[in-house]
Amino acid sequence: SYVLTQPPSLSVAPGQTATITCEGHNIASKAVHWYQQKPGQAPVLVVYDDRARPSGIPDRFSGSNSGNTATLTITRVEAGDEADFYCQVWDPSHDHRRVFGGGTTLTVL
Amino acid sequence: EVQLVESGGGLVKPGGSLKISCAASGFTFSMYKMNWVRQTPGKGLEWVSSISSKSSHIFYADSVRGRFTISRDNAQNSLHLQMNNLTVADTAVYYCARDSLGGSSLDYWGQGTRATVSS
């Protein structure tokens, strides 16, 4: 089955840029979605279809997808961005399952 | 406003059963594919099951197939997950999540309901 790999953690100073990667075989052929989950809360969709943003999500959040790596970029990081971030794809060849990456904990220093 | 509110979680012994539900409002429920996603304590997200808008297509993760049954009632705007033969590994927060129309992202999530399997 399809596997998505994320770094477990990332630390960034306020005002800097956070880059969170999501690796998967030929992931560029799939639509990648990103979720932010703050402690004690449900996940929130922050980027869908590689680079689109739902309404209400700041333009500091952006995504890209190429080759075997998808990337979520957060510019001008704020303390309130501290959360777990998960990438996700749809795998129609295996029970139409949604596949999640293991998650990356973003710490704002 | 889209709202998804889960209920029915609780404590159950290994081998027991539990039925959790999700009440939907603020959108035309019958138009959307729905999902259950779970999160084990301190761990990541795991997709559990999905059901198409008219219940014609149902899918399960390997870890729950044969034990869990997803269903929906479009007249009542509700989604359900019947969980049987539960094991400690099924202990998790279970989220109800809506599929985006025409896409594969999960655009709205409930707050979750916790199922604890313990003797």
Side-chain angles (χ1 to χ4, degrees):
Chain A
S1 61
Y2 198 77
V3 176
L4 295 174
T5 302
Q6 298 181 236
S9 61
L10 177 68
S11 297
V12 175
Q16 298 303 302
T17 297
T19 302
I20 300 172
T21 58
C22 175
E23 295 186 349
H25 177 68
N26 195 25
I27 197 173
S29 66
K30 300 180 180 299
V32 178
H33 319 297
W34 291 90
Y35 304 89
Q36 178 187 41
Q37 185 180 33
K38 296 182 179 180
Q41 298 184 17
V44 172
L45 181 68
V46 293
V47 166
Y48 66 96
D49 293 349
D50 296 341
R51 59 181 66 248
R53 277 188 314 277
S55 60
I57 301 300
D59 60 6
R60 299 186 299 105
F61 290 79
S62 63
S64 64
N65 187 7
S66 177
N68 294 316
T69 304
T71 303
L72 174 70
T73 302
I74 310 169
T75 58
R76 305 185 301 281
V77 166
E78 304 171 356
D81 297 332
E82 196 163 272
D84 293 330
F85 290 85
Y86 296 91
C87 58
Q88 178 249 312
V89 300
W90 177 51
D91 186 5
S93 62
H94 287 93
D95 295 323
H96 289 239
R97 63 189 61 178
R98 268 80 175 132
V99 179
F100 290 94
T104 298
T105 298
L106 174 65
T107 300
V108 181
L109 299 171
Chain B
E1 178 193 6
V2 172
Q3 284 199 318
L4 298 169
V5 180
E6 300 92 339
S7 61
L11 175 63
V12 62
K13 289 181 166 50
S17 298
L18 198 62
K19 184 175 184 177
I20 58 177
S21 299
C22 172
S25 61
F27 65 103
T28 305
F29 180 72
S30 61
M31 289 180 61
Y32 288 82
K33 184 175 183 179
M34 298 296 296
N35 300 265
W36 288 102
V37 177
R38 70 184 180 183
Q39 186 168 33
T40 51
K43 297 283 183 64
L45 302 170
E46 179 189 16
W47 171 80
V48 172
S49 181
S50 66
I51 185 168
S52 61
S53 59
K54 300 295 187 286
S55 305
S56 55
H57 295 91
I58 289 174
F59 301 98
Y60 297 99
D62 291 343
S63 57
V64 307
R65 186 178 294 109
R67 301 186 299 120
F68 289 13
T69 302
I70 191 172
S71 62
R72 64 189 295 162
D73 183 339
N74 286 345
Q76 297 292 322
N77 293 336
S78 61
L79 176 72
H80 308 282
L81 187 68
Q82 175 68 48
M83 304 185 289
N84 297 331
N85 195 19
L86 286 160
T87 73
V88 172
D90 296 316
T91 294
V93 174
Y94 286 76
Y95 294 101
C96 160
R98 189 183 84 168
D99 244 53
S100 61
L101 266 184
S104 60
S105 64
L106 303 177
D107 60 359
Y108 284 93
W109 298 59
Q111 283 304 304
T113 188
R114 183 178 301 273
T116 302
V117 185
S118 174
S119 55

